[in-house]
Amino acid sequence: MAGEPEVVVAGSEVGAQGGLALRSARGRWVLAASVLGSGIAFLDATVVNVALPHIGRELDAGFTGLQWTVNAYTLALAALLLLSGSLGDRLGRRRVFVVGVAWFALASLACALAPTVEVLVGARIAQGVGGALLTPASLALLQASFRPGDRAAAIGAWTGLTGVAGATGPLLGGWLVDVASWRLIFLINLPLAAVVIWAAVRHVPESSAPGERARPLDVRGAGLAALALAGLTHGLGEAAAGRGSAHALAAGVVGALAAAGFIAYEARTPAPLVPLGLFRERTFSAANAVTLVVYAALSAAIFLLPLQLQQVLDYSALMAGLSLAPVTLLMLLLSPSAGRLCQRVGPRIPLTFGPLVAAAGFALLAGVGAGDDYLVHVLPGTVVFGLGLSLTVAPLTAAVLGAAPPERAGVASAVNTTVARAAGLLAVALVPVLAGIGGDDYLDARAFSQGFTNGMWITAGMCAAGGLLAALALSAGPPRVAPELPGPETPGSLASP
């Protein structure tokens, strides 16, 4: 952010350093509004995967429709995250946060009422716009509202509490789907959003960065990024599925040209969304390359696994959600220790072994099939997978932030978040069809199970490649760490693509 934050705070709860005290009544309200607002977005992302079979059956959707139910949200989120962060600095962080929460709630209502999968996909795009507005603003509110001595604690609490939202999302979503309807996973956002908006308007101080108002807003860059992601995602998915070759080629060409145009434009515009100079630092480029590969594998696996558990092993939605809980719980417990390990030995060792361990977990899960016992066949793979991710996430964050100058740490984190989301977007489109899944295969247990096995082996190979890339490209030694900034994905959001 350019310039010092302009913060409007009144009352006796302002700390001696300026800003709110975390332990004050108003400080707790600010934290609650930020956590609950971002938690809605994290919760909705994690519950959708366990609801996919029910959505597909009720809306008569093919496998491509299920892919776009996930990818439509990710596309809008990835394309707009960087731009929306600048909007908060420019227009007011509380204002953008409130607009984002309200937008997300209205889009959730549209999702719940969707009569067809096409309408649902459109509503999910709108949800992604709301998520892009509220997520960066929720963190910026903490940074701007609290006194310097309390900011790290506030962001640490945000990380842990949103992690709880991510861990409970599949369980809550599975329960709602089983006892009522998949539509409730969207309707539940409405009362939660109302509470967030009330708390934000009532208790959260407004803040902005005056220097940002003089900087041009990179709308053209955001548009090129969205066009590139949409074109490449659609083109790759259609080409891999062997459908509509001319259409797929046209979409892919448009996406590739938009991507090239985005890079060329960002290189010459005075206020780029993505400062390309950051990539001249070898560690920053290498860490983002590892992010691309590992998060692609993660997103594809988390998309396929709930479908396998429900369609082939005949799990309920709730049981499928429970089956994934060990991954998130292990990350909540072990990620802090992995971060401390990275500070001592540097990121290369954990980022080499973490993805390799996760790859072993995917390989174990590749053998899961009809009639298998959870404790013997499913749990070992999820535990190994969770251990690998726990060893990967915090060191990856530290490597990215440590490679950037301190004044660019926020931009570096935002770039890495966008890389992670874009990786998931492309992987969910491409990996299933490379594995041989398409059409209505998810309704045929035998056909889907074979594709699932292929897909998990593909994700295992991708994770292993990420570990080897880290071993070859990252240098040894502790990184510079920006302790007040969380990484591209908190533990709570890692269960979502």
Side-chain angles (χ1 to χ4, degrees):
M1 292 176 289
E4 290 298 319
E6 177 185 28
V7 186
V8 181
V9 181
S12 60
E13 295 172 316
V14 178
Q17 300 167 290
L20 292 172
L22 179 59
R23 294 184 179 275
S24 67
R26 193 176 185 189
R28 293 189 184 97
W29 274 112
V30 171
L31 179 62
S34 175
V35 167
L36 189 56
S38 56
I40 293 172
F42 289 151
L43 183 73
D44 215 59
T46 56
V47 301
V48 167
N49 279 356
V50 298
L52 287 175
H54 297 262
I55 292 172
R57 284 193 291 269
E58 184 170 330
L59 299 184
D60 193 26
F63 190 75
T64 300
L66 300 187
Q67 288 174 295
W68 275 107
T69 298
V70 173
N71 271 349
Y73 177 85
T74 311
L75 171 62
L77 188 69
L80 298 177
L81 269 174
L82 291 168
L83 182 65
S84 62
S86 298
L87 283 175
D89 291 341
R90 176 187 298 259
L91 302 177
R93 300 178 182 104
R94 183 184 68 179
R95 181 178 294 113
V96 171
F97 177 72
V98 169
V99 169
V101 173
W103 190 311
F104 193 88
L106 291 174
S108 298
L109 178 61
C111 289
L113 299 177
T116 65
V117 70
E118 291 80 10
V119 174
L120 177 60
V121 168
R124 288 283 285 166
I125 291 174
Q127 261 196 325
V129 175
L133 290 171
L134 73 89
T135 302
S138 69
L139 278 169
L141 286 176
L142 300 183
Q143 190 78 3
S145 299
F146 289 105
R147 60 189 183 183
D150 282 348
R151 289 173 188 166
I155 291 178
W158 181 94
T159 301
L161 292 171
T162 51
V164 172
T168 58
L171 310 183
L172 176 62
W175 179 74
L176 290 173
V177 169
D178 285 342
V179 302
S181 167
W182 62 266
R183 298 180 187 273
L184 282 184
I185 68 175
F186 298 110
L187 288 175
I188 197 174
N189 294 332
L190 274 64
L192 295 175
V195 173
V196 173
I197 292 171
W198 173 84
V201 172
R202 173 80 174 170
H203 297 286
V204 176
E206 183 59 284
S207 64
S208 63
E212 284 295 308
R213 296 169 192 165
R215 288 164 56 88
L217 201 60
D218 191 6
V219 177
R220 185 176 298 177
L224 286 169
L227 184 60
L229 289 172
L232 291 173
T233 301
H234 187 59
L236 286 173
E238 292 296 299
R243 299 188 303 266
S245 57
H247 179 73
L249 179 61
V253 168
V254 169
L257 290 175
F262 173 78
I263 294 171
Y265 180 75
E266 294 298 288
R268 69 173 189 270
T269 186
L273 278 178
V274 180
L276 299 181
L278 287 172
F279 289 92
R280 296 191 186 100
E281 169 59 45
R282 175 181 173 180
T283 299
F284 184 82
S285 295
N288 277 286
V290 174
T291 298
L292 185 71
V293 176
V294 171
Y295 276 77
L298 166 66
S299 300
I302 293 297
F303 175 74
L304 293 173
L305 185 56
L307 287 168
Q308 176 78 354
L309 294 176
Q310 292 179 73
Q311 301 298 95
V312 178
L313 277 72
D314 202 28
Y315 282 23
S316 67
L318 176 59
M319 286 305 299
L322 281 169
S323 299
L324 297 174
V327 177
T328 306
L329 293 175
L330 281 169
M331 293 177 61
L332 287 172
L333 292 172
L334 301 179
S335 288
S337 298
R340 290 190 290 270
L341 173 66
C342 178
Q343 285 182 282
R344 290 198 302 270
V345 303
R348 184 169 66 183
I349 292 176
L351 287 181
T352 297
F353 288 100
L356 291 175
V357 173
F362 289 147
L364 289 172
L365 289 169
V368 171
D372 282 349
D373 180 76
Y374 173 74
L375 292 178
V376 175
H377 300 98
V378 180
L379 182 61
T382 57
V383 169
V384 174
F385 169 33
L387 289 172
L389 286 180
S390 300
L391 193 57
T392 301
V393 176
L396 192 54
T397 298
V400 168
L401 296 180
E407 68 274 10
R408 308 302 289 275
V411 174
S413 180
V415 168
N416 195 230
T417 300
T418 303
V419 169
R421 293 294 186 176
L425 177 69
L426 295 173
V428 170
L430 187 58
V431 170
V433 288
L434 289 178
I437 304 170
D440 293 327
D441 284 351
Y442 76 98
L443 298 175
D444 182 333
R446 179 175 296 179
F448 184 82
S449 188
Q450 181 57 54
F452 169 81
T453 298
N454 297 337
M456 294 306 291
W457 280 112
I458 291 171
T459 59
M462 293 167 67
C463 258
L468 294 176
L469 179 61
L472 295 172
L474 289 174
S475 57
R480 301 188 311 268
V481 179
E484 293 186 357
L485 290 168
E489 302 282 345
T490 64
S493 63
L494 274 165
S496 67

